[in-house]
Amino acid sequence: MLSKIMGVFARPDFPLLLREHVVLSAVALLIAVAVALPVALLVRNTPLGATIAINVGNIGRAVPSLAILALALPFLGIGFASALVALTALAIPPILINASIGLREVRQDIIDAARGMGLSGGQILTRIQLPIAAPVIFAGIRTSAVQTVASATLATFIGAGGLGDLIVEGLQRRGPRYCSQGPSPSRSLRSSRSSASAGSRGPSPRRGCRSRRREEVVN
Amino acid sequence: MIEFRHVSKTYAGSDRPVVNDLSFEVLDGEICVLVGPSGCGKTTSMRMVNRLIEITEGEILIDGEPNTSMSGTQLRRKIGYAIQQIGLFPHRTIADNIGTVPNLLGWEKGRIRERVNDLLDLVGLSPDEYRDRYPAELSGGQQQRVGVARALAADPPIMLMDEPFGAVDPITRERLQDEFLHIQEDIKKTIVFVTHDIDEAIKMGDKIAILKQGGVLAQYDTPQTILSRPNSEFVSSFVGGDRLLKRLSLTRVSELDLGPANGGTDGLPRISDGLTVRDALSELMGSGQSKAVVEKDGEKKLLTFQDIEALTSSGAMGGGKRSA
């Protein structure tokens, strides 16, 4: 069992899928950091702005990943761009929330003391606020990174590849095998599934080899 | 010298000033205590000196120069600043905290290090033990010492202190007050000190400015004068019904002119001459006797209720607090 699972790492397409997955996740995370941190810095001195940022972030977190993918699809079509936009949208909220909260939670008396001693606004930010908020900000980036890597598996549904391909493939393969042990209705289920998935995927250069592989393993 | 000249502060969107036409002077080397009920504008007044709050009307002169003659940050680096909540930087060591302003002023490392060690010694914390600790590892009293040391770091001639001993228990507070007065004898800073506690004001102040609601100066004078001749109903009620006793606390037994004790001192209570007259009175009353023996320079003197009464009726009381 374990060796079968480990076998997936030996597949010839594994490095490619892994690379797709890592690139997609990393780019999404970088863009998210580049968007969320400046926004958090911008609103740090306005309680209202920080509250809005935090709440927008919370609403963002509540939106299911799949829904964002579906939303991106009509605008950007199938492929990397859609997946990137969707993943970035998912990656922003944790960073925005944590950065805003981290900066907001720096005690006011510390900032007052810093101002009173003659630190300028920029010095207060770089020497006091950011270092104190750093653990919270990094925790947000970490949360976001974990979430992005996990959600990047969904990119397979809009043809952006990644390790999600393997998961979906596994699901499709296991279903029929279990069904084949059951009575005859399972056969129709099997065929309908594969045809449904084939239909929904549309033409994709990789699809052909994938289905070939599937047959290889099943047999 | 700090001069307040018709200083007013009105916040935007409000038509009532929080500080109203404030004028007084703080002489070099003196502690001026701003005291009053909450909402009297005492902290606002103090924060206008280093322009953490900008003045609406009037001006504040520092050594004859308006405090607007340089940028706010430059001004603040020349003025020590200590607050009740202390505001130590939690991510920096004690040494780095104290070295904040020297660092901003571009002192070289060795000089900062030496200065930090001197200051830690001055406030009674061993440099070897505390330099590299973080604020969270210190007790409240130790943190306040560090806060004061940090305010003194660049040796500013002027200091602003907003209830700098407010966040500790009464016993520690008293000790910190005594220590600071002792330090002040040497460093002779010009200090604006804010408190809501009239006892602290009387103890710490060379001058006291009593403010009332709306930021109006009710009386500005020495503690002795404020206690003996409050100029209004407000001031006398603010200093409290025990102002006679408070006056007694301004004088120490050692400053009294006592008669010699001629024999027959057996059975009489002994009183240390380092006590304030108020504490001595309390001991005398508690002993049930009408007189007590004070030993001063090996000489035995007699303290009686008459000595204390004489003190309260003469105008010459107090003023010796720093020489104690």
Side-chain angles (χ1 to χ4, degrees):
Chain A
M1 183 67 190
L2 190 65
S3 66
K4 267 187 183 168
I5 293 174
M6 297 307 280
V8 77
F9 296 118
R11 286 169 47 148
D13 61 336
F14 182 76
L16 174 77
L17 294 176
L18 182 64
R19 213 192 70 193
E20 279 177 350
H21 199 96
V22 169
V23 167
L24 186 61
S25 308
V27 173
L29 190 65
L30 281 178
I31 298 176
V33 170
V35 172
L37 280 190
V39 171
L41 291 181
L42 219 65
V43 300
R44 73 181 196 279
N45 290 327
T46 47
L48 180 67
T51 307
I52 291 173
I54 289 166
N55 283 307
V56 166
N58 277 326
I59 292 169
R61 290 190 82 163
V63 177
S65 323
L66 212 49
I68 296 182
L69 277 177
L71 284 174
L73 200 59
F75 298 101
L76 295 156
I78 278 172
F80 186 78
S82 270
L84 185 63
V85 167
L87 275 184
T88 305
L90 282 172
I92 288 176
I95 304 175
L96 184 62
I97 292 169
N98 273 45
S100 300
I101 289 177
L103 288 170
R104 194 177 64 175
E105 300 288 284
V106 176
R107 293 208 321 267
Q108 206 49 49
D109 58 280
I110 293 172
I111 293 173
D112 182 48
R115 273 189 73 207
M117 283 188 291
L119 275 78
S120 66
Q123 287 167 333
I124 291 175
L125 176 64
T126 55
R127 298 185 189 190
I128 309 296
Q129 288 178 301
L130 281 178
I132 293 176
V136 182
I137 295 175
F138 280 112
I141 294 176
R142 201 165 52 229
T143 306
S144 177
V146 169
Q147 200 177 300
T148 306
V149 170
S151 298
T153 54
L154 297 175
T156 185
F157 292 120
I158 48 173
L163 295 173
D165 283 5
L166 294 175
I167 295 171
V168 171
E169 188 191 312
L171 284 173
Q172 287 169 340
R173 227 190 298 133
R174 271 186 95 173
R177 191 189 283 168
Y178 281 117
C179 293
S180 67
Q181 292 164 357
S184 55
S186 65
R187 281 185 194 283
S188 59
L189 184 64
R190 179 187 188 179
S191 58
S192 72
R193 267 218 188 150
S194 53
S195 65
S197 64
S200 70
R201 279 233 192 83
S204 150
R206 272 202 315 275
R207 198 177 59 83
C209 43
R210 196 155 43 212
S211 39
R212 206 181 320 121
R213 275 201 314 272
R214 181 158 64 228
E215 273 144 28
E216 275 164 21
V217 179
V218 166
N219 292 335
Chain B
M1 187 165 80
I2 307 169
E3 288 170 71
F4 279 69
R5 284 196 184 165
H6 305 287
V7 172
S8 296
K9 174 68 193 180
T10 310
Y11 282 107
S14 159
D15 48 358
R16 290 248 305 273
V18 288
V19 174
N20 197 351
D21 197 26
L22 203 56
S23 293
F24 62 90
E25 290 174 2
V26 186
L27 299 180
D28 284 340
E30 279 195 352
I31 300 180
C32 166
V33 180
L34 303 179
V35 67
S38 55
C40 70
K42 52 192 188 294
T43 295
T44 305
S45 304
M46 185 200 81
R47 288 164 70 91
M48 284 191 290
V49 175
N50 67 356
R51 286 173 55 203
L52 283 171
I53 295 175
E54 297 286 355
I55 298 172
T56 314
E57 258 178 83
E59 59 181 353
I60 295 176
L61 305 184
I62 294 173
D63 295 328
E65 290 267 312
N67 67 352
T68 48
S69 65
M70 61 181 84
S71 80
T73 49
Q74 266 181 315
L75 174 76
R76 291 194 273 274
R77 288 171 196 182
K78 295 182 173 180
I79 298 179
Y81 186 65
I83 53 176
Q84 180 184 359
Q85 309 85 346
I86 315 169
L88 294 181
F89 306 144
H91 59 303
R92 294 200 176 179
T93 62
I94 299 306
D96 287 344
N97 264 286
I98 296 176
T100 303
V101 179
N103 194 18
L104 286 173
L105 296 174
W107 290 20
E108 54 172 287
K109 278 211 169 99
R111 188 177 166 206
I112 296 178
R113 199 186 154 76
E114 217 169 283
R115 179 68 182 153
V116 168
N117 288 348
D118 289 350
L119 283 166
L120 279 171
D121 275 331
L122 185 69
V123 298
L125 297 172
S126 147
D128 292 336
E129 196 178 335
Y130 290 100
R131 273 190 69 90
D132 300 322
R133 293 219 196 161
Y134 284 87
E137 302 169 50
L138 269 58
S139 72
Q142 290 168 331
Q143 289 189 21
Q144 295 217 306
R145 285 163 202 256
V146 174
V148 171
R150 185 171 68 169
L152 286 167
D155 206 10
I158 293 175
M159 290 189 42
L160 306 179
M161 308 178 88
D162 189 353
E163 306 206 21
F165 313 124
V168 290
D169 61 273
I171 293 168
T172 310
R173 184 181 315 149
E174 194 136 320
R175 201 164 62 221
L176 288 173
Q177 287 168 344
D178 290 337
E179 284 174 6
F180 187 74
L181 285 175
H182 189 69
I183 293 171
Q184 167 69 356
E185 279 175 40
D186 291 330
I187 61 179
K188 299 225 179 321
K189 301 292 181 194
T190 309
I191 298 172
V192 176
F193 189 111
V194 168
T195 180
H196 63 270
D197 175 1
I198 184 67
D199 289 312
E200 188 174 44
I202 290 164
K203 180 171 183 182
M204 302 301 289
D206 293 298
K207 296 273 176 57
I208 297 178
I210 298 185
L211 300 173
K212 57 183 172 187
Q213 299 288 343
V216 178
L217 186 61
Q219 187 167 5
Y220 182 60
D221 224 315
T222 59
Q224 295 83 351
T225 312
I226 281 180
L227 289 172
S228 57
R229 290 193 297 278
N231 69 357
S232 62
E233 191 58 34
F234 170 77
V235 172
S236 66
S237 80
F238 188 75
V239 297
D242 61 340
R243 60 191 169 89
L244 204 63
L245 289 173
K246 283 180 175 137
R247 284 174 71 194
L248 293 180
S249 67
L250 288 173
T251 309
R252 294 194 184 268
V253 175
S254 57
E255 296 164 48
L256 293 176
D257 193 17
L258 300 175
N262 297 325
T265 59
D266 292 343
L268 289 182
R270 310 267 152 163
I271 286 178
S272 152
D273 74 340
L275 290 182
T276 66
V277 178
R278 181 183 184 159
D279 292 344
L281 174 65
S282 170
E283 287 215 0
L284 194 56
M285 292 177 78
S287 72
Q289 304 277 349
S290 62
K291 45 194 166 184
V293 178
V294 176
E295 259 186 86
K296 188 178 173 185
D297 306 328
E299 239 182 298
K300 280 184 186 166
K301 303 241 178 180
L302 213 53
L303 175 73
T304 64
F305 281 123
Q306 283 76 27
D307 292 314
I308 296 173
E309 265 171 349
L311 187 70
T312 57
S313 52
S314 80
M317 182 165 68
K321 137 178 67 120
R322 291 290 145 69
S323 58

